[in-house]
Amino acid sequence: DTAVSQTPKYLVTQMGNDKSIKCEQNLGHDTMYWYKQDSKKFLKIMFSYNNKELIINETVPNRFSPKSPDKAHLNLHINSLELGDSAVYFCASSSPGGLTDTQYFGPGTRLTVL
Amino acid sequence: EDQVTQSPEALRLQEGESSSLNCSYTVSGLRGLFWYRQDPGKGPEFLFTLYSAGEEKEKERLKATLTKKESFLHITAPKPEDSATYLCAVQGGSYIPTFGRGTSLIVHP
């Protein structure tokens, strides 16, 4: 059983194009995240949604727009792709409770912008 | 701003050679410190959450400890299958998770 899934796994596109990455979790979690991992493996949070409401937005260009149709899905749409957007994008989910949140990550989407 | 620094960046061990990975952090109001394992081409996999100084957690050959300024991930008698990148992260009062750059561990048979 896949807990957090992402599609596609690989995405190769030209500069200026618009693309979307989809994420779904079947863990029943309330909170979902998007992270960007650069070529040096640094993992940085981009967005977080709790029950379809945006709660974290970390100085990400407005070309990136997350959309959460329901609490099990969080999609990432990217407009006017740039070379610097090339990275691995991870979706994650967690269930806030107690002191803090343990996050469960998807397998990642490797985006290459040519 | 919360900060996490991991050392060393890379570590090569012989099978059975125990060692420790370090995670130094500064955070406003620590809610939790996390350790994850990441294999090439995969997403991070949760290992441990530590909540307060003095806490320790163990799983197979791994043991995580926490002080007010740093956490250690001790690896006892590692095996080649322990080879991976180990990520440390903190979550403070802002609820924004902050990750370190990871330690890449290679265990030679």
Side-chain angles (χ1 to χ4, degrees):
Chain A
D1 290 344
T2 302
V4 182
S5 59
Q6 296 178 228
T7 53
K9 187 165 176 62
Y10 299 97
L11 188 53
V12 181
T13 188
Q14 299 288 329
M15 277 176 54
N17 285 349
D18 302 338
K19 291 294 179 184
S20 292
I21 307 172
K22 295 185 176 182
C23 177
E24 177 180 0
Q25 55 95 2
N26 62 6
L27 297 168
H29 288 167
D30 297 320
T31 305
M32 297 184 73
Y33 309 80
W34 276 111
Y35 285 86
K36 179 180 180 180
Q37 189 171 47
D38 61 23
S39 57
K40 296 186 177 181
K41 307 295 185 186
F42 183 49
L43 199 61
K44 185 166 174 58
I45 192 167
M46 300 172 68
F47 302 102
S48 176
Y49 268 74
N50 180 266
N51 273 323
K52 302 193 297 176
E53 182 181 346
L54 180 66
I55 56 173
I56 295 175
N57 183 344
E58 281 293 282
T59 58
V60 177
N62 58 16
R63 298 183 295 103
F64 291 79
S65 53
K67 283 189 171 49
S68 181
D70 55 61
K71 75 174 192 177
H73 296 83
L74 180 62
N75 304 322
L76 183 65
H77 188 75
I78 315 171
N79 289 326
S80 303
L81 278 155
E82 301 178 356
L83 293 175
D85 297 332
S86 295
V88 181
Y89 292 83
F90 287 100
C91 177
S93 72
S94 70
S95 187
L99 293 175
T100 189
D101 313 333
T102 294
Q103 297 182 45
Y104 296 86
F105 285 81
T109 296
R110 181 174 292 276
L111 171 65
T112 303
V113 182
L114 304 175
Chain B
E1 183 178 325
D2 301 342
Q3 290 190 330
V4 176
T5 303
Q6 292 187 246
S7 61
E9 286 187 20
L11 182 62
R12 293 178 181 268
L13 299 173
Q14 288 297 127
E15 185 171 2
E17 180 187 1
S18 300
S19 188
S20 296
L21 312 182
N22 177 264
C23 171
S24 298
Y25 66 90
T26 55
V27 65
S28 177
L30 179 69
R31 293 186 175 271
L33 183 141
F34 307 87
W35 282 100
Y36 291 86
R37 169 191 171 129
Q38 186 174 21
D39 292 299
K42 296 189 176 181
E45 177 187 346
F46 170 73
L47 293 174
F48 304 107
T49 305
L50 301 169
Y51 296 102
S52 58
E55 190 174 0
E56 299 182 353
K57 288 192 176 174
E58 287 188 66
K59 179 181 178 180
E60 297 180 355
R61 296 177 292 282
L62 300 177
K63 179 179 176 180
T65 62
L66 180 65
T67 72
K68 289 187 177 179
K69 294 184 178 180
E70 57 191 351
S71 176
F72 290 93
L73 184 65
H74 306 277
I75 304 177
T76 302
K79 298 182 178 182
E81 53 261 42
D82 294 323
S83 297
T85 295
Y86 290 86
L87 299 170
C88 174
V90 295
Q91 188 177 38
S94 69
Y95 282 96
I96 297 173
T98 300
F99 279 77
R101 294 184 177 272
T103 293
S104 175
L105 173 66
I106 297 176
V107 181
H108 296 285

